[in-house]
Amino acid sequence: MQGYILKRILIAMFTIFAVLTVVFFIFRLGPADPVAVMLPPNATPQDAENLTKKFGLDQPLMVQYTNYLKNAFKGDFGTSFRFNEPALKVLFERFPATLQLGLVAFVISVLVGLSVGIISAVKPDSFIDRIGRLVALAGMSLPSFWVGVMLILFFGVTLRWLPIAGKGTLAHYIMPSFCMSLYPIALITRLSRSSMLDALKSDYVVMARIKGVPEFYVILVHAFKNASIPVLTVIFGIFSGLIVGSAVVVEYIFSWPGIGRLVMESYFARDYPVVQVFVIFVTFVVVTMNLIVDIIYAYIDPRIRYQ
């Protein structure tokens, strides 16, 4: 078991290092010049030279890369061009708002998706099963940016029931959290339904029912435990995706003051350190979640650790 965990940790560390390298060269070799974006129209060549030296952009590329790796392992990912503050600090100042919205959407996704998926598998072709499949189809098909715009037009502009932008009251959470959770609900519903259908047809479930085990225990203990491995992957992936992935589009649409809106604004302003630290942060969260899932797999199914 220890060897299995160590192997997964080494793979995770290599993945983070590879992303650090790719992100550096993508942003450094891009066509846009961040210095030209930051300078006012009346700036002189001397101003451009001073700003270039300030951010270390005048040094050779490999020197910049070496310094970048050294600083990255110290937690220093550069200074924001727009805010003139450490990029990591700027990101974490916006992170609580993203975390709050992501947790609300995550809870909704898991509760609704698992409930509908399990009930649909236990009672196939029932009314709930048909509604669940319809919602799953809609959630998988409709892009989040289109859903967000339609929600704003209908509930915000036409009916004036909900606020269309900002963060303040509980009403501000309704539309963005629903928009973020629609696709995850569809994904969890479909996967949990198919996994439960396979588990309910297995021999150990049939034997449990023959022995007279209560149906509640048959479904949640015997069937769901064995059907939970693929579902866990999706749930942990959704957690990381919702908080740092889907937030980019949804927060920008609803003007939510989180890291998603920050990274969009930073991208258009060519604030490379902020965008760079965002990509690295996303990678770290996703890799960590996958590492946790791999370890949980090994405890749920001992066969995995010996593969």
Side-chain angles (χ1 to χ4, degrees):
M1 184 64 180
Q2 293 178 350
Y4 172 83
I5 295 176
L6 180 61
K7 180 181 178 181
R8 289 295 182 269
I9 292 176
L10 291 176
I11 293 174
M13 292 174 62
F14 175 78
T15 302
I16 294 175
F17 173 77
V19 171
L20 282 170
T21 302
V22 171
V23 166
F24 172 83
F25 284 104
I26 285 178
F27 285 110
R28 289 301 188 280
L29 300 178
D33 183 9
V35 174
V37 175
M38 289 183 288
L39 289 174
N42 58 348
T44 64
Q46 185 62 39
D47 295 332
E49 183 179 350
N50 293 336
L51 198 60
T52 301
K53 291 181 179 179
K54 177 182 177 181
F55 291 106
L57 300 177
D58 60 326
Q59 299 176 346
L61 187 63
M62 293 310 298
V63 175
Q64 293 184 44
Y65 174 66
T66 303
N67 295 332
Y68 162 78
L69 288 179
K70 291 180 181 178
N71 294 330
F73 285 112
K74 297 177 183 177
D76 181 8
F77 296 94
T79 303
S80 170
F81 297 158
R82 290 195 304 154
F83 301 100
N84 199 26
E85 293 182 351
L88 191 62
K89 178 184 176 183
V90 173
L91 188 78
F92 281 156
E93 286 177 349
R94 300 286 190 96
F95 182 67
T98 299
L99 181 63
Q100 293 168 7
L101 182 61
L103 287 176
V104 172
F106 175 75
V107 171
I108 294 173
S109 304
V110 173
L111 291 180
V112 176
L114 284 180
S115 300
V116 175
I118 293 174
I119 295 174
S120 298
V122 174
K123 299 180 178 181
D125 295 325
S126 63
F127 176 76
I128 295 180
D129 183 27
R130 294 175 183 176
I131 295 296
R133 283 184 288 176
L134 180 63
V135 172
L137 179 61
M140 299 287 287
S141 305
L142 301 177
S144 58
F145 68 87
W146 183 86
V147 174
V149 172
M150 292 299 104
L151 290 174
I152 290 174
L153 289 175
F154 187 71
F155 292 104
V157 178
T158 304
L159 299 179
R160 299 178 181 272
W161 287 357
L162 298 171
I164 63 175
K167 172 181 178 291
T169 63
L170 290 176
H172 287 85
Y173 284 83
I174 296 177
M175 288 197 294
S177 61
F178 175 80
C179 185
M180 290 178 68
S181 62
L182 186 59
Y183 176 79
I185 286 174
L187 196 59
I188 293 177
T189 298
R190 293 187 62 178
L191 187 58
S192 59
R193 181 181 183 274
S194 61
S195 298
M196 283 294 293
L197 283 174
D198 293 337
L200 289 172
K201 296 176 183 177
S202 58
D203 295 337
Y204 55 85
V205 171
V206 175
M207 181 60 66
R209 284 173 171 164
I210 293 175
K211 291 181 177 180
V213 177
E215 189 67 13
F216 177 81
Y217 288 97
V218 171
I219 295 172
L220 294 183
V221 177
H222 294 276
F224 182 69
K225 179 181 177 180
N226 291 276
S228 61
I229 290 182
V231 179
L232 279 175
T233 306
V234 174
I235 289 177
F236 276 90
I238 284 172
F239 180 76
S240 56
L242 276 174
I243 291 180
V244 293
S246 301
V248 174
V249 175
V250 175
E251 288 185 1
Y252 194 72
I253 293 174
F254 291 97
S255 297
W256 190 269
I259 61 175
R261 182 183 175 188
L262 171 68
V263 74
M264 290 293 291
E265 294 173 349
S266 299
Y267 173 78
F268 290 123
R270 301 296 189 269
D271 192 353
Y272 292 152
V274 174
V275 180
Q276 193 169 260
V277 75
F278 172 80
V279 176
I280 295 170
F281 178 70
V282 171
T283 303
F284 178 79
V285 172
V286 173
V287 169
T288 302
M289 289 299 174
N290 288 334
L291 177 62
I292 294 173
V293 170
D294 288 340
I295 295 174
I296 293 176
Y297 277 4
Y299 280 103
I300 293 178
D301 190 349
R303 294 173 297 178
I304 294 177
R305 73 185 75 163
Y306 296 113
Q307 290 180 356

Coordinates of all heavy atoms in Angstrom, one line a residue, residues 94 97-98 101 144-145 148-149 152 163-169 172-173 175-177 179-180 246-265:
R94 N -9.3 36.7 -3.9 CA -10.6 36.5 -4.6 C -11.1 35.0 -4.4 O -12.3 34.7 -4.7 CB -10.4 36.7 -6.1 CG -10.0 38.1 -6.5 CD -11.1 39.1 -6.4 NE -10.7 40.3 -7.1 CZ -11.0 40.7 -8.3 NH1 -11.7 39.8 -9.1 NH2 -10.7 41.8 -8.8
A97 N -14.7 34.0 -2.4 CA -15.9 34.2 -3.1 C -16.1 33.0 -4.0 O -17.3 32.5 -4.2 CB -15.9 35.5 -3.9
T98 N -15.1 32.5 -4.7 CA -15.2 31.4 -5.6 C -15.5 30.1 -4.8 O -16.3 29.3 -5.2 CB -13.9 31.2 -6.4 OG1 -13.7 32.4 -7.2 CG2 -14.0 30.0 -7.3
L101 N -19.2 30.0 -3.7 CA -20.1 29.6 -4.8 C -19.9 28.2 -5.3 O -20.9 27.5 -5.6 CB -19.9 30.6 -6.0 CG -20.8 30.4 -7.3 CD1 -22.2 30.6 -6.9 CD2 -20.3 31.3 -8.4
S144 N -22.8 26.2 -20.5 CA -23.0 27.0 -19.3 C -23.2 28.5 -19.6 O -24.0 29.2 -18.9 CB -21.9 26.8 -18.3 OG -20.6 27.2 -18.8
F145 N -22.4 29.0 -20.6 CA -22.5 30.5 -20.9 C -23.9 30.8 -21.4 O -24.5 31.8 -21.1 CB -21.4 30.9 -21.8 CG -21.5 30.4 -23.2 CD1 -22.3 31.0 -24.2 CD2 -20.8 29.2 -23.6 CE1 -22.4 30.5 -25.5 CE2 -20.9 28.7 -24.8 CZ -21.7 29.3 -25.8
G148 N -26.4 30.6 -18.6 CA -26.3 31.8 -17.7 C -27.0 33.0 -18.4 O -27.7 33.8 -17.7
V149 N -26.8 33.2 -19.6 CA -27.4 34.4 -20.3 C -28.9 34.2 -20.3 O -29.7 35.2 -20.1 CB -26.9 34.5 -21.8 CG1 -27.7 35.5 -22.6 CG2 -25.4 34.8 -21.8
I152 N -30.3 35.1 -16.9 CA -30.3 36.5 -16.6 C -31.4 37.2 -17.4 O -32.1 38.1 -16.8 CB -28.9 37.1 -17.1 CG1 -27.8 36.7 -16.1 CG2 -29.0 38.7 -17.1 CD1 -26.4 37.1 -16.6
P163 N -31.3 39.1 -8.6 CA -30.3 40.0 -9.1 C -29.4 39.3 -10.1 O -29.1 38.1 -10.1 CB -29.5 40.2 -7.8 CG -29.8 39.0 -6.9 CD -31.2 38.6 -7.2
I164 N -28.9 40.1 -11.1 CA -28.2 39.6 -12.2 C -26.7 39.6 -12.1 O -26.0 39.1 -12.9 CB -28.6 40.3 -13.5 CG1 -28.3 41.8 -13.5 CG2 -30.1 40.1 -13.8 CD1 -28.6 42.5 -14.8
A165 N -26.2 40.3 -11.1 CA -24.8 40.5 -11.0 C -24.4 40.8 -9.5 O -25.2 41.2 -8.7 CB -24.3 41.6 -11.9
G166 N -23.1 40.5 -9.2 CA -22.6 40.8 -7.9 C -22.8 39.7 -6.9 O -23.3 38.6 -7.2
K167 N -22.4 40.0 -5.7 CA -22.4 39.1 -4.6 C -22.9 39.8 -3.3 O -22.3 40.8 -3.0 CB -21.1 38.4 -4.3 CG -21.0 37.6 -3.1 CD -19.5 37.0 -3.0 CE -19.4 36.2 -1.7 NZ -19.4 37.0 -0.5
G168 N -23.9 39.3 -2.7 CA -24.4 40.0 -1.5 C -25.3 39.1 -0.7 O -25.0 38.5 0.4
T169 N -26.6 39.0 -1.1 CA -27.6 38.2 -0.4 C -27.6 36.8 -1.0 O -26.9 36.4 -1.9 CB -29.0 38.9 -0.6 OG1 -29.3 38.8 -2.0 CG2 -29.0 40.3 -0.2
H172 N -28.3 36.2 -4.7 CA -27.3 36.3 -5.7 C -26.7 34.9 -6.0 O -26.0 34.8 -7.0 CB -26.2 37.2 -5.2 CG -26.5 38.7 -5.2 ND1 -27.2 39.3 -4.1 CD2 -26.3 39.6 -6.1 CE1 -27.4 40.6 -4.4 NE2 -26.8 40.8 -5.6
Y173 N -26.8 33.9 -5.1 CA -26.3 32.6 -5.3 C -27.1 31.7 -6.3 O -26.6 30.7 -6.8 CB -26.1 31.9 -4.0 CG -25.0 32.3 -3.1 CD1 -25.1 33.4 -2.3 CD2 -23.7 31.7 -3.1 CE1 -24.1 33.9 -1.5 CE2 -22.7 32.1 -2.3 CZ -22.9 33.2 -1.5 OH -21.8 33.7 -0.7
M175 N -28.9 31.9 -9.3 CA -28.6 31.7 -10.7 C -27.2 31.2 -11.0 O -27.0 30.2 -11.8 CB -28.9 33.0 -11.5 CG -30.4 33.3 -11.6 SD -30.8 34.5 -12.9 CE -30.0 36.0 -12.3
P176 N -26.1 31.8 -10.5 CA -24.8 31.2 -10.8 C -24.6 29.8 -10.3 O -23.9 29.0 -10.9 CB -23.8 32.2 -10.1 CG -24.7 33.0 -9.2 CD -26.0 33.0 -9.7
S177 N -25.1 29.5 -9.1 CA -24.9 28.1 -8.6 C -25.7 27.1 -9.4 O -25.2 26.0 -9.7 CB -25.3 28.0 -7.1 OG -26.7 28.4 -7.0
C179 N -26.4 27.5 -12.6 CA -25.7 27.4 -13.9 C -24.5 26.5 -13.7 O -24.2 25.7 -14.6 CB -25.3 28.8 -14.3 SG -24.5 28.9 -15.9
M180 N -23.8 26.6 -12.6 CA -22.6 25.8 -12.4 C -22.9 24.3 -12.2 O -22.1 23.4 -12.5 CB -21.7 26.3 -11.3 CG -21.1 27.7 -11.5 SD -20.2 28.3 -10.1 CE -18.8 27.1 -10.0
S246 N -15.1 25.8 -13.9 CA -16.4 26.4 -14.4 C -16.6 27.8 -13.9 O -17.3 28.6 -14.5 CB -17.6 25.5 -13.9 OG -17.5 24.2 -14.3
A247 N -15.9 28.2 -12.8 CA -16.0 29.5 -12.3 C -15.5 30.6 -13.3 O -16.0 31.7 -13.2 CB -15.2 29.7 -11.0
V248 N -14.6 30.2 -14.2 CA -14.1 31.2 -15.1 C -15.2 31.8 -16.0 O -15.4 33.0 -16.1 CB -13.0 30.6 -16.0 CG1 -12.6 31.5 -17.1 CG2 -11.8 30.2 -15.2
V249 N -16.1 30.9 -16.5 CA -17.2 31.4 -17.4 C -18.3 32.0 -16.6 O -18.8 33.1 -16.8 CB -17.7 30.2 -18.3 CG1 -18.9 30.7 -19.1 CG2 -16.6 29.8 -19.2
V250 N -18.8 31.2 -15.6 CA -19.9 31.6 -14.8 C -19.7 32.9 -14.0 O -20.6 33.8 -14.0 CB -20.3 30.5 -13.8 CG1 -21.5 31.0 -12.9 CG2 -20.7 29.3 -14.6
E251 N -18.6 33.1 -13.4 CA -18.3 34.3 -12.6 C -18.2 35.5 -13.6 O -18.6 36.6 -13.2 CB -17.0 34.1 -11.8 CG -17.1 33.2 -10.7 CD -15.9 33.2 -9.8 OE1 -14.9 33.9 -10.2 OE2 -15.8 32.4 -8.9
Y252 N -17.7 35.3 -14.7 CA -17.6 36.5 -15.7 C -19.0 36.9 -16.1 O -19.2 38.1 -16.3 CB -16.7 36.1 -16.9 CG -16.3 37.3 -17.7 CD1 -15.3 38.2 -17.2 CD2 -16.8 37.5 -18.9 CE1 -14.9 39.2 -18.0 CE2 -16.4 38.6 -19.7 CZ -15.5 39.4 -19.2 OH -15.1 40.5 -20.0
I253 N -19.9 35.9 -16.4 CA -21.2 36.3 -16.8 C -22.0 37.0 -15.7 O -22.7 38.0 -16.0 CB -22.0 35.0 -17.3 CG1 -21.3 34.4 -18.5 CG2 -23.4 35.3 -17.5 CD1 -21.9 33.1 -18.9
F254 N -21.9 36.5 -14.5 CA -22.7 37.1 -13.4 C -21.9 38.1 -12.6 O -22.4 38.5 -11.5 CB -23.2 35.9 -12.5 CG -24.2 35.0 -13.1 CD1 -23.8 33.8 -13.7 CD2 -25.5 35.4 -13.1 CE1 -24.7 33.0 -14.2 CE2 -26.5 34.5 -13.7 CZ -26.1 33.3 -14.3
S255 N -20.8 38.5 -13.1 CA -19.9 39.5 -12.4 C -19.7 39.1 -10.9 O -19.8 40.0 -10.0 CB -20.6 40.9 -12.5 OG -20.7 41.3 -13.8
W256 N -19.4 37.9 -10.7 CA -19.1 37.4 -9.4 C -17.7 37.7 -9.0 O -16.8 37.3 -9.8 CB -19.4 35.9 -9.3 CG -19.3 35.3 -8.0 CD1 -18.2 34.8 -7.3 CD2 -20.4 35.1 -7.0 NE1 -18.6 34.3 -6.1 CE2 -19.9 34.5 -5.9 CE3 -21.8 35.5 -7.1 CZ2 -20.7 34.3 -4.8 CZ3 -22.6 35.2 -6.0 CH2 -22.1 34.6 -4.9
P257 N -17.4 38.3 -7.9 CA -16.0 38.7 -7.6 C -15.1 37.6 -7.1 O -14.6 37.7 -6.0 CB -16.3 39.8 -6.5 CG -17.5 39.3 -5.8 CD -18.4 38.7 -6.8
G258 N -14.9 36.6 -8.0 CA -14.0 35.5 -7.6 C -12.8 35.4 -8.5 O -12.6 36.3 -9.3
I259 N -12.1 34.3 -8.4 CA -10.9 34.1 -9.3 C -11.3 33.9 -10.7 O -10.4 34.2 -11.6 CB -10.1 33.0 -8.7 CG1 -10.8 31.6 -8.8 CG2 -9.6 33.3 -7.3 CD1 -10.0 30.4 -8.3
G260 N -12.5 33.4 -11.0 CA -12.8 33.2 -12.4 C -12.9 34.5 -13.2 O -12.4 34.7 -14.3
R261 N -13.6 35.5 -12.6 CA -13.7 36.8 -13.2 C -12.3 37.5 -13.2 O -11.9 38.2 -14.2 CB -14.7 37.7 -12.4 CG -14.9 39.1 -12.9 CD -15.8 39.9 -12.1 NE -15.9 41.2 -12.5 CZ -16.5 42.2 -11.9 NH1 -17.1 41.9 -10.7 NH2 -16.6 43.4 -12.3
L262 N -11.5 37.3 -12.1 CA -10.2 37.8 -12.1 C -9.3 37.4 -13.2 O -8.6 38.1 -13.9 CB -9.5 37.5 -10.7 CG -8.0 37.9 -10.6 CD1 -7.8 39.4 -10.6 CD2 -7.5 37.2 -9.3
V263 N -9.3 36.1 -13.5 CA -8.4 35.5 -14.5 C -8.9 36.0 -15.9 O -8.0 36.2 -16.8 CB -8.4 34.0 -14.4 CG1 -9.7 33.3 -15.0 CG2 -7.2 33.4 -15.2
M264 N -10.2 36.2 -16.1 CA -10.6 36.7 -17.4 C -10.1 38.1 -17.6 O -9.6 38.5 -18.7 CB -12.1 36.6 -17.5 CG -12.7 35.2 -17.6 SD -12.2 34.3 -19.2 CE -13.2 35.3 -20.4
E265 N -10.3 38.9 -16.6 CA -9.9 40.3 -16.7 C -8.3 40.4 -16.9 O -7.8 41.2 -17.6 CB -10.3 41.1 -15.5 CG -11.8 41.2 -15.4 CD -12.2 41.8 -14.0 OE1 -11.4 42.0 -13.1 OE2 -13.4 42.2 -13.9

